[in-house]
């Protein structure tokens, strides 16, 4: 169970990081 | 005092003397030029590309570069986690060590993937040889190479004009590992073995002690004449741990362990290795942007901060604890928590170097330093580890301060700021602000939560200001990817493993993203020629401006928090001595 929690936390963080990349790119394009 | 000056002076002279040749060599590697190592390792580079299906000439936009870096690090993180959880079933485990607990394994996996190497576990009692070598040591290489790759992309962006791409992550990663980190580590590992650092696959050795040792276990007094001596492939891991500014010890007490740091010479080589690549990278940057004076200016600013804070650490430790002196029980200086074989100068020098870089290895226990002696490593981390700093990350962190400094200078004279011919506009300043402000946010919010909740307070070994310092130090270390511990704090708990793990993730990857976004933005810009209104960024005026920017932001952000910890503890110590 703990493995699933930590792997889900990791996946969520990296998914948020990828979203951040796209967010910053949109900011750059619309500056 | 002469002895201290000679030792610290010799260290700085050797470090700065090596910075230029190594910096120029790394510039050739990162620009893809031929070096003296190409005939030796070129085939391995080509084989790596072929085996992984990478075309090193395929250029990437900053978004592609960032995604490649993120996914590569994610894969590494999961591999290290799996190795720890399955180590009981895997080979190279002569002590039959069982699986690491889920929270500790996750914390360690995050820690090594993010180049932090915070260790909530004891190496010799937790990790099999396979986990140490295939998991931790491999991450030591590739996490450092990730930092070098990001820096290379940023430096390239300054020298490019109106292009959408910043290089190829896989090529930068491969070249950094093969031509920079592996050869240096190989040479250092051999030197360490020559000094007595262990390197073997044998089981732990049981030795007979000359005298009987009394100890207590589960409230029962026992005695023994047997001592277990841990073994393992330590030297190869220690070499990259120092060169890659990783810092994770093979053994629990890190570089205070005689099998990890055996002699004064091994100590000198290791402390040199901690700052070696970081000190050389400004020269690399200068070469890559076509004006090496820019690199020297940044190196000068870094060196001024390092030498100043080293002076405070050494004099504080040399002055010792006046309460103990008054009681007549202390020798000259503060030797608590220090190895007698290294003494005060080499301990304080190491503590300063390891926190100036994002290294985090220790050869003395920082928890036992005087309040001001302990403040120095804490503040060096809180400055963002930009004083030489981590491999790659130190310089790209400092370049964020450089952008802010030229922005402030531009505001003063009413011109659009420029750096190296690139106009610094709103987007770059916003991204630099994110990169500069995120670590303090992580550190301060993390500390605030930990001092408020029971699981956070439960880990503290000392009451009052010192206990607060232990928590602040832990989050400063994790929130700046350092990895050193103040000790005293029992951090191998689900709360600290999770909280510090999240801090390490944010501090590493949410800094890399805005840095690469700046790289993408700068590469797409025109280069404007320097005019009469351009601020020269290679002279003393700019060095002072940069120093002011780093120190004022560091002071404004952290002095209130430091006042609750080491500063108040210093006054308590002075007051105690005057009673």
């Amino acid at each position: 169970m703990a493995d699933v929690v930590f792997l889900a936390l990791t996946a969520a963080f990296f998914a948020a990081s990828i979203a951040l990349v796209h967010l910053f790119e949109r900011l750059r394009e619309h500056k | 005092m002469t002895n201290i000056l000679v030792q610290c002076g010799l260290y700085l002279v050797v470090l700065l003397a090596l910075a230029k040749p190594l910096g120029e060599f790394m510039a050739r590697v990162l620009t893809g030029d031929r070096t003296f190592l190409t005939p030796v390792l070129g085939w391995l580079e080509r084989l790596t590309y072929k085996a992984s299906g990478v075309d090193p000439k395929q250029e990437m936009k900053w978004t592609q570069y960032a995604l490649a870096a993120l996914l590569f690090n994610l894969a590494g993180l999961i591999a290290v986690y799996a190795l720890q959880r399955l180590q009981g079933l895997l080979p190279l485990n002569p002590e039959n060590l069982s699986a690491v607990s889920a929270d500790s394994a996750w914390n360690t996996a995050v820690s090594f993937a993010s180049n932090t190497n915070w260790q909530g576990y004891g190496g010799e009692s937790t990790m099999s040889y396979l986990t140490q070598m295939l998991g931790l040591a491999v991450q030591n290489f590739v996490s450092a190479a990730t930092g070098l790759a990001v820096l290379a992309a940023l430096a390239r962006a300054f020298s490019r004009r109106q292009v959408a791409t910043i290089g190829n992550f896989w090529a930068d990663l491969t070249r950094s590992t093969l031509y920079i980190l592996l050869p240096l580590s190989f040479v250092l590992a051999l030197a360490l073995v020559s000094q007595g650092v262990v390197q073997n696959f044998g089981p732990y050795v049981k030795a007979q002690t000359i005298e009987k040792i009394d100890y207590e276990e589960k409230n029962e007094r026992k005695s023994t004449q047997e001592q277990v001596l841990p073994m393992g492939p330590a030297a190869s891991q220690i070499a990259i741990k120092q060169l890659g500014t990783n810092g994770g010890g093979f053994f629990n007490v890190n570089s205070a362990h005689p099998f990890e740091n055996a002699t004064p010479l091994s100590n000198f080589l290791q402390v040199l290795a901690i700052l070696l690549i970081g000190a050389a990278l400004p020269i690399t940057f200068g070469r890559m942007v076509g004006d090496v004076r820019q690199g020297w200016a940044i190196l000068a600013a870094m060196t001024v901060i390092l030498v100043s804070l080293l002076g405070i650490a050494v004099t504080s430790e040399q002055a010792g604890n006046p309460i103990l002196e008054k009681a007549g029980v202390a020798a000259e200086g503060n030797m608590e928590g220090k190895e007698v074989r290294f003494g005060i100068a080499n301990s304080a020098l190491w503590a300063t170097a390891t926190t100036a870089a994002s290294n985090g290895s220790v050869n003395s226990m920082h928890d036992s330093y005087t309040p001001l002696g302990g403040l120095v490593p804490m503040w060096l981390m809180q400055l963002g580890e930009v004083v030489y700093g981590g491999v790659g990350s130190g310089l790209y962190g400092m370049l964020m301060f450089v952008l802010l400094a030229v922005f402030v200078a531009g505001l003063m004279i009413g011109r659009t700021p420029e750096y190296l011919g690139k106009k610094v506009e709103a987007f770059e300043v916003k991204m630099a602000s994110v990169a500069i402000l995120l670590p303090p946010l992580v550190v301060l919010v993390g500390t605030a939560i930990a001092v408020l909740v029971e699981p956070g307070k439960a880990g503290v070994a000392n009451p009052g200001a010192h206990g607060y310092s232990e928590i602040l130090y832990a989050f400063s270390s994790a929130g700046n990817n350092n990895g050193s511990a103040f000790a005293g704090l029992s951090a191998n708990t689900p709360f600290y493993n999770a909280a510090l793990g999240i801090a390490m993730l944010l501090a590493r990857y949410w800094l890399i993203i805005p840095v690469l976004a700046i790289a993408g933005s700068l590469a797409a810009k025109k280069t404007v020629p320097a005019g009469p209104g351009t601020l020269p960024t290679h002279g003393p005026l700019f060095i002072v401006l940069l120093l002011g920017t780093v120190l004022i932001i560091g002071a404004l952000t952290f002095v209130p928090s430091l006042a609750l910890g080491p500063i108040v503890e210093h006054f308590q110590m002075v007051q105690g001595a005057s009673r």
Side-chain angles (χ1 to χ4, degrees):
Chain A
M1 182 60 192
D3 291 311
V4 176
V5 170
F6 283 113
L7 290 175
L9 181 61
T10 307
F13 174 80
F14 279 91
S17 301
I18 291 167
L20 198 66
V21 170
H22 292 297
L23 175 72
F24 285 171
E25 175 60 1
R26 288 185 62 173
L27 269 176
R28 190 185 72 83
E29 284 170 349
H30 295 102
K31 65 183 178 184
Chain B
M1 188 49 84
T2 311
N3 181 26
I4 292 170
L5 288 174
V6 168
Q7 292 196 57
C8 295
L10 176 69
Y11 173 73
L12 287 168
V13 166
V14 174
L15 180 70
L16 294 173
L18 291 173
K20 189 170 184 284
L22 181 60
E24 292 187 345
F25 169 76
M26 288 193 292
R28 294 186 69 79
V29 171
L30 295 175
T31 46
D33 290 347
R34 208 177 153 77
T35 70
F36 71 96
L37 286 175
T38 309
V40 186
L41 295 168
W43 66 272
L44 192 53
E45 185 190 359
R46 289 189 294 276
L47 183 69
T48 306
Y49 297 143
K50 201 170 178 185
S52 52
V54 166
D55 176 5
K57 292 192 171 62
Q58 181 81 46
E59 287 279 327
M60 292 175 166
K61 293 179 179 172
W62 85 264
T63 48
Q64 295 168 315
Y65 201 100
L67 292 179
L70 284 169
L71 292 177
F72 177 73
N73 278 258
L74 172 63
L77 194 163
I78 290 172
V80 175
Y81 182 82
L83 269 172
Q84 292 173 86
R85 296 291 285 153
L86 299 172
Q87 73 173 8
L89 309 170
L90 297 170
L92 280 176
N93 185 6
E95 297 305 309
N96 295 316
L97 295 166
S98 57
V100 182
S101 69
D103 58 310
S104 179
W106 185 74
N107 180 282
T108 305
V110 169
S111 178
F112 279 74
S114 64
N115 198 251
T116 311
N117 291 31
W118 170 269
Q119 294 174 290
Y121 63 90
E124 63 270 49
S125 57
T126 313
M127 300 296 179
S128 72
Y129 294 165
L130 187 76
T131 307
Q132 296 259 30
M133 289 187 82
L134 193 60
L136 308 185
V138 168
Q139 287 305 308
N140 282 352
F141 278 99
V142 294
S143 66
T146 299
L148 280 171
V150 172
L151 175 69
L154 183 62
R156 222 171 267 135
F158 278 106
S159 58
R160 291 187 171 184
R161 295 175 193 179
Q162 293 179 291
V163 294
T165 57
I166 57 172
N168 181 303
F169 173 74
W170 306 113
D172 288 339
L173 184 81
T174 307
R175 294 183 67 81
S176 299
T177 307
L178 281 183
Y179 294 110
I180 299 171
L181 299 171
L182 267 173
L184 283 172
S185 299
F186 184 73
V187 172
L188 181 59
L190 286 181
L192 293 178
V193 168
S194 79
Q195 294 302 299
V197 176
V198 297
Q199 178 76 15
N200 59 46
F201 287 111
Y204 294 180
V205 174
K206 286 183 179 153
Q208 291 293 312
T209 58
I210 296 168
E211 291 181 352
K212 203 190 290 179
I213 302 165
D214 296 320
Y215 66 101
E216 204 174 286
E217 191 177 10
K218 293 177 183 166
N219 295 326
E220 202 180 320
R221 291 200 63 77
K222 293 181 177 175
S223 65
T224 182
Q225 268 193 283
E226 191 178 270
Q227 185 182 3
V228 177
L229 302 177
M231 295 283 128
S236 56
Q237 190 166 323
I238 291 156
I240 183 60
K241 136 189 159 180
Q242 308 299 20
L243 286 161
T245 58
N246 301 279
F250 195 87
F251 303 117
N252 192 22
V253 292
N254 211 293
S255 294
H257 197 295
F259 288 175
E260 193 159 333
N261 189 5
T263 64
L265 182 57
S266 76
N267 190 72
F268 182 80
L269 291 174
Q270 289 189 46
V271 77
L272 185 67
I274 288 173
L275 288 182
L276 183 62
I277 294 178
L281 279 173
I283 308 304
T284 307
F285 175 74
R287 279 275 170 236
M288 288 181 77
V289 300
D291 182 359
V292 80
R293 295 172 306 171
Q294 305 290 339
W296 284 115
I298 294 173
L299 185 61
M302 290 171 163
T303 306
V304 168
I305 300 176
L306 180 83
V307 171
S308 309
L309 291 180
L310 174 62
I312 294 173
V314 170
T315 49
S316 299
E317 292 309 296
Q318 195 64 42
N321 185 333
I323 298 175
L324 293 178
E325 277 183 26
K326 194 178 171 189
V329 293
E332 189 186 337
N334 175 28
M335 277 300 293
E336 183 191 312
K338 295 182 179 68
E339 290 283 291
V340 173
R341 62 205 175 109
F342 298 141
I344 289 174
N346 279 306
S347 301
L349 174 62
W350 189 298
T352 308
T354 197
T355 47
S358 78
N359 187 280
S361 65
V362 294
N363 74 348
S364 60
M365 298 303 119
H366 298 182
D367 195 34
S368 295
Y369 275 40
T370 58
L372 293 185
L375 180 146
V376 167
M378 212 181 311
W379 201 46
L380 272 166
M381 293 188 290
Q382 291 166 347
L383 288 178
E385 291 175 350
V386 295
V387 182
Y388 302 167
V391 169
S393 60
L395 185 55
Y396 67 65
M398 189 55 134
L399 286 167
M400 298 300 105
F401 282 102
V402 167
L403 293 178
L404 205 62
V406 294
F407 173 68
V408 170
L411 287 179
M412 286 178 188
I413 57 170
R415 276 177 58 95
T416 305
E418 300 159 18
Y419 183 58
L420 305 177
K422 299 283 187 179
K423 285 198 182 296
V424 178
E425 296 172 294
F427 179 77
E428 291 79 35
V429 176
K430 282 178 196 165
M431 291 296 110
S433 302
V434 169
I436 289 170
L437 294 176
L438 185 79
L441 187 75
V442 169
V443 171
L444 295 175
V445 171
T447 304
I449 292 171
V451 298
L452 285 173
V453 300
E454 277 312 313
K457 286 187 278 190
V460 172
N462 299 280
H466 197 76
Y468 176 79
S469 294
E470 288 172 356
I471 295 176
L472 179 63
Y473 193 103
F475 279 94
S476 300
S477 179
N480 288 283
N481 297 132
N482 183 270
S484 70
F486 215 36
L489 185 72
S490 300
N492 197 5
T493 63
F495 171 79
Y496 278 111
N497 280 331
L500 296 172
I502 292 168
M504 289 186 270
L505 282 174
L506 288 169
R508 177 69 167 180
Y509 301 108
W510 287 22
L511 244 73
I512 283 178
I513 295 169
V515 168
L516 288 174
I518 289 175
S521 177
L522 292 176
K525 291 182 185 220
K526 288 186 289 190
T527 302
V528 290
T534 303
L535 172 74
T537 49
H538 56 266
L541 179 66
F542 183 73
I543 293 172
V544 171
L545 182 66
L546 182 57
L547 283 171
T549 308
V550 173
L551 295 176
I552 289 170
I553 290 176
L556 288 177
T557 316
F558 283 108
V559 164
S561 191
L562 290 168
L564 297 172
I567 294 175
V568 74
E569 198 185 350
H570 174 74
F571 287 120
Q572 285 171 335
M573 183 179 77
V574 173
Q575 189 187 33
S578 64
R579 277 183 189 152

